[in-house]
Amino acid sequence: MINASLKELSAALAAKQLSSVELAGLFLDRIERLNPLLNAFITVDRERSLAMAREADARIARGESGPLTGIPVAHKDIFCAEGWLTSCGSKMLSNFVSPYDATVIERFKAAGTVTLGKTNMDEFAMGSSNETSFYGPVKNPWDTAAVPGGSSGGSAAAVSARLTPAATGTDTGGSIRQPAALCGLTGLKPTYGVVSRWGMIAFASSLDQGGPMAKSAEDCALLLNAMAGFDERDSTSLERPAEDYARDLDKPLAGLRIGLPKEFFAEGLSADVAQAVEAAIAEYRRLGAVAVNISLPNMKLSVPAYYVIAPAEASSNLSRFDGVRYGWRAPQYGDLADMYCKSRAQGFGAEVKRRILIGTYVLSHGYYDAYYLQAQRIRRLIAADFAEAFKSCDLIMGPTSPSVAFGLGAKAGDPVQMYLSDIYTIAINLAGLPGMSIPCGTGARNLPVGLQIIGDYFGEARMLNAAHQYQLATDWHRRAPAL
Ligand code: GLN
């Protein structure tokens, strides 16, 4: 059961081979046994989960179930969920029990899924290794001395260790795709605006996007069907007709044009990752696709531009955490200004403070033109590079991460090295494009390697089609760590 696809789980529930309560119990027992080792969950609430499972069972008995009814899903602790501690991995929100549901949570509830718990993450989603969490680092289930990636590292570790069949994540610069790659999963970041950000704690609003993390492309398609859709409460949500993201899964790939950007296969890419990615491209050729050489000339500017834009937006978004209405308040302080200062000094960790400082600096009078405006211009150039590239290909492929999972602590003291972990993922967020990562082999220390698939705007169904066809022909996505 722990390795079953969502479709198989749904069929087993419909056939009454097992109940949703039993299924949730199975995963809750695994969480109880393995979470002390992995630290993938911040909050687990057995009674609350089982109550949801009982409701799902009643729905199935009434014949009112959909494709996800009764299926357990874990949610990144960035999504506000009514009655659940919603910490965002920070001391600042370590006492915040959300009074409302994010749209994503609401949609999963409407689909009848069972919340298994809230997963660990880098503090306010800032990081690539899950080491900035106030709740301690998450361990990679393939090698507990290695990081799971970040910032959705708890969700990635939880799915990889089969503590949950599926999870949600968010991706501002790679936080779904990079941990999916490092933990051997399939993860998808939709086109900006496809999934509502309402109730998803904001990091960098023009880049943040929620998406699914699961074992396969087929599972991700079903999850995205539940997550996506217009939401009038999010002013950047796109009003488009509903799509079935599973509609093209079975299409053959003959004639598919895959763009290979030369910048993705240059200096900085580990040989083991390059080898696995090249083998995956060869498999796509066998499936009938044709490879096209392309170039994204401004790609090298994506990391510096991101580290101006994302901190700028974060410094503004995080100003709401002032110790007044909710969240951490310093136990002792003098006047009001002192209360703000002490609460923020105590509530935020080092990486969050670094981003607030950088963001405030680049937005300040005198530096705005030199940094922020320049970064916005680069952002435009990067989007134009992709538009040009998609004239000659249908999808773009390359590595998700320059290396396999690195050791815990290996980059924690060197922010620039850490920032470079997202060198292949960040440009996609700057352009607002959809991207995903699928397992495509193993590299050093037998750890998983991820293949990144990038689509044109609203190319989710096409990306999922390519991923699914690859997964029908290979079994990398079926491998699970021995735990
Ligand atoms: N690692 C990047 C950062 O630290 C991206 C994080 C994310 O996508 N949330 O900002």
Side-chain angles (χ1 to χ4, degrees), residues 125-128 151 170-175 203 306-307 355 422:
M126 298 173 189
S128 306
S151 64
T170 62
D171 192 313
T172 304
S175 280
F203 162 13
Y306 173 91
Y307 279 98
R355 306 274 179 121
D422 296 313

Side-chain angles (χ1 to χ4, degrees), residues 76 78 121-129 132 150-152 170-179 189 203-204 207-209 306-307 310-311 351 355 418-422 425-426 429:
K76 184 176 183 179
I78 199 167
M121 54 180 285
D122 278 301
E123 186 178 5
F124 285 103
M126 298 173 189
S128 306
S129 66
T132 72
S151 64
S152 312
T170 62
D171 192 313
T172 304
S175 280
I176 288 176
R177 291 161 287 157
Q178 186 256 15
K189 180 205 97 74
F203 162 13
L207 301 158
D208 298 342
Q209 189 61 196
Y306 173 91
Y307 279 98
E351 184 60 29
R355 306 274 179 121
M418 189 70 87
Y419 296 170
L420 289 173
S421 319
D422 296 313
T425 51
I426 274 178
N429 300 74

Side-chain angles (χ1 to χ4, degrees), residues 80-81 84-87 92-100 201 326-327:
C80 286
W84 292 81
L85 174 71
T86 299
S87 74
M92 183 54 90
L93 288 176
S94 56
N95 60 2
F96 177 65
V97 175
S98 176
Y100 73 106
I201 297 170
Y326 50 83

